mmCIF file with all atom_site columns, all heavy atoms in Angstrom:
data_model
loop_
_atom_site.group_PDB
_atom_site.id
_atom_site.type_symbol
_atom_site.label_atom_id
_atom_site.label_alt_id
_atom_site.label_comp_id
_atom_site.label_asym_id
_atom_site.label_entity_id
_atom_site.label_seq_id
_atom_site.pdbx_PDB_ins_code
_atom_site.Cartn_x
_atom_site.Cartn_y
_atom_site.Cartn_z
_atom_site.occupancy
_atom_site.B_iso_or_equiv
_atom_site.pdbx_formal_charge
_atom_site.auth_seq_id
_atom_site.auth_comp_id
_atom_site.auth_asym_id
_atom_site.auth_atom_id
_atom_site.pdbx_PDB_model_num
ATOM 1  N N   . VAL B 1 26  ? 9.408  4.205   8.562  1.00 0.00 ? 160 VAL B N   1
ATOM 2  C CA  . VAL B 1 26  ? 8.688  5.175   7.735  1.00 0.00 ? 160 VAL B CA  1
ATOM 3  C C   . VAL B 1 26  ? 9.203  6.586   8.011  1.00 0.00 ? 160 VAL B C   1
ATOM 4  O O   . VAL B 1 26  ? 9.357  6.977   9.166  1.00 0.00 ? 160 VAL B O   1
ATOM 5  C CB  . VAL B 1 26  ? 7.178  5.107   8.058  1.00 0.00 ? 160 VAL B CB  1
ATOM 6  C CG1 . VAL B 1 26  ? 6.405  6.192   7.315  1.00 0.00 ? 160 VAL B CG1 1
ATOM 7  C CG2 . VAL B 1 26  ? 6.629  3.733   7.697  1.00 0.00 ? 160 VAL B CG2 1
ATOM 8  N N   . SER B 1 143 ? 48.089 17.215  7.083  1.00 0.00 ? 277 SER B N   1
ATOM 9  C CA  . SER B 1 143 ? 49.258 18.022  6.691  1.00 0.00 ? 277 SER B CA  1
ATOM 10 C C   . SER B 1 143 ? 50.419 17.140  6.256  1.00 0.00 ? 277 SER B C   1
ATOM 11 O O   . SER B 1 143 ? 51.368 17.598  5.621  1.00 0.00 ? 277 SER B O   1
ATOM 12 C CB  . SER B 1 143 ? 49.671 18.941  7.844  1.00 0.00 ? 277 SER B CB  1
ATOM 13 O OG  . SER B 1 143 ? 50.134 18.179  8.923  1.00 0.00 ? 277 SER B OG  1
ATOM 14 N N   . HIS B 1 226 ? 31.660 -1.776  19.038 1.00 0.00 ? 360 HIS B N   1
ATOM 15 C CA  . HIS B 1 226 ? 31.620 -0.317  18.939 1.00 0.00 ? 360 HIS B CA  1
ATOM 16 C C   . HIS B 1 226 ? 31.722 0.183   17.489 1.00 0.00 ? 360 HIS B C   1
ATOM 17 O O   . HIS B 1 226 ? 31.714 1.394   17.252 1.00 0.00 ? 360 HIS B O   1
ATOM 18 C CB  . HIS B 1 226 ? 32.770 0.312   19.744 1.00 0.00 ? 360 HIS B CB  1
ATOM 19 C CG  . HIS B 1 226 ? 32.532 0.275   21.230 1.00 0.00 ? 360 HIS B CG  1
ATOM 20 N ND1 . HIS B 1 226 ? 33.039 -0.698  22.035 1.00 0.00 ? 360 HIS B ND1 1
ATOM 21 C CD2 . HIS B 1 226 ? 31.830 1.098   22.045 1.00 0.00 ? 360 HIS B CD2 1
ATOM 22 C CE1 . HIS B 1 226 ? 32.655 -0.471  23.291 1.00 0.00 ? 360 HIS B CE1 1
ATOM 23 N NE2 . HIS B 1 226 ? 31.921 0.603   23.315 1.00 0.00 ? 360 HIS B NE2 1
ATOM 24 N N   . ASP B 1 313 ? 20.534 -3.856  25.731 1.00 0.00 ? 447 ASP B N   1
ATOM 25 C CA  . ASP B 1 313 ? 21.414 -3.453  24.627 1.00 0.00 ? 447 ASP B CA  1
ATOM 26 C C   . ASP B 1 313 ? 22.201 -4.695  24.162 1.00 0.00 ? 447 ASP B C   1
ATOM 27 O O   . ASP B 1 313 ? 22.887 -5.327  24.982 1.00 0.00 ? 447 ASP B O   1
ATOM 28 C CB  . ASP B 1 313 ? 22.356 -2.358  25.190 1.00 0.00 ? 447 ASP B CB  1
ATOM 29 C CG  . ASP B 1 313 ? 23.324 -1.784  24.172 1.00 0.00 ? 447 ASP B CG  1
ATOM 30 O OD1 . ASP B 1 313 ? 23.620 -2.480  23.182 1.00 0.00 ? 447 ASP B OD1 1
ATOM 31 O OD2 . ASP B 1 313 ? 23.802 -0.659  24.381 1.00 0.00 ? 447 ASP B OD2 1
ATOM 32 N N   . LYS B 1 320 ? 29.081 -8.610  28.419 1.00 0.00 ? 454 LYS B N   1
ATOM 33 C CA  . LYS B 1 320 ? 28.903 -9.325  29.689 1.00 0.00 ? 454 LYS B CA  1
ATOM 34 C C   . LYS B 1 320 ? 29.408 -10.774 29.528 1.00 0.00 ? 454 LYS B C   1
ATOM 35 O O   . LYS B 1 320 ? 30.102 -11.308 30.397 1.00 0.00 ? 454 LYS B O   1
ATOM 36 C CB  . LYS B 1 320 ? 27.413 -9.299  30.063 1.00 0.00 ? 454 LYS B CB  1
ATOM 37 C CG  . LYS B 1 320 ? 26.975 -10.267 31.125 1.00 0.00 ? 454 LYS B CG  1
ATOM 38 C CD  . LYS B 1 320 ? 27.233 -9.687  32.489 1.00 0.00 ? 454 LYS B CD  1
ATOM 39 C CE  . LYS B 1 320 ? 26.941 -10.587 33.685 1.00 0.00 ? 454 LYS B CE  1
ATOM 40 N NZ  . LYS B 1 320 ? 26.024 -11.641 33.591 1.00 0.00 ? 454 LYS B NZ  1
ATOM 41 N N   . TYR B 1 365 ? 29.331 -2.788  31.095 1.00 0.00 ? 499 TYR B N   1
ATOM 42 C CA  . TYR B 1 365 ? 30.392 -3.755  31.365 1.00 0.00 ? 499 TYR B CA  1
ATOM 43 C C   . TYR B 1 365 ? 31.705 -3.465  30.630 1.00 0.00 ? 499 TYR B C   1
ATOM 44 O O   . TYR B 1 365 ? 32.713 -4.084  30.916 1.00 0.00 ? 499 TYR B O   1
ATOM 45 C CB  . TYR B 1 365 ? 29.926 -5.178  31.009 1.00 0.00 ? 499 TYR B CB  1
ATOM 46 C CG  . TYR B 1 365 ? 28.938 -5.751  32.011 1.00 0.00 ? 499 TYR B CG  1
ATOM 47 C CD1 . TYR B 1 365 ? 27.594 -5.915  31.689 1.00 0.00 ? 499 TYR B CD1 1
ATOM 48 C CD2 . TYR B 1 365 ? 29.347 -6.102  33.295 1.00 0.00 ? 499 TYR B CD2 1
ATOM 49 C CE1 . TYR B 1 365 ? 26.689 -6.429  32.604 1.00 0.00 ? 499 TYR B CE1 1
ATOM 50 C CE2 . TYR B 1 365 ? 28.441 -6.622  34.221 1.00 0.00 ? 499 TYR B CE2 1
ATOM 51 C CZ  . TYR B 1 365 ? 27.121 -6.778  33.856 1.00 0.00 ? 499 TYR B CZ  1
ATOM 52 O OH  . TYR B 1 365 ? 26.236 -7.281  34.784 1.00 0.00 ? 499 TYR B OH  1
ATOM 53 N N   . PRO B 1 417 ? 16.271 39.859  18.632 1.00 0.00 ? 551 PRO B N   1
ATOM 54 C CA  . PRO B 1 417 ? 15.612 41.167  18.440 1.00 0.00 ? 551 PRO B CA  1
ATOM 55 C C   . PRO B 1 417 ? 15.288 41.412  16.964 1.00 0.00 ? 551 PRO B C   1
ATOM 56 O O   . PRO B 1 417 ? 16.030 40.955  16.083 1.00 0.00 ? 551 PRO B O   1
ATOM 57 C CB  . PRO B 1 417 ? 16.655 42.175  18.907 1.00 0.00 ? 551 PRO B CB  1
ATOM 58 C CG  . PRO B 1 417 ? 17.758 41.395  19.518 1.00 0.00 ? 551 PRO B CG  1
ATOM 59 C CD  . PRO B 1 417 ? 17.638 39.970  19.118 1.00 0.00 ? 551 PRO B CD  1
#
Side-chain angles (χ1 to χ4, degrees):
V160 175
S277 66
H360 285 96
D447 182 336
K454 165 84 184 336
Y499 286 109

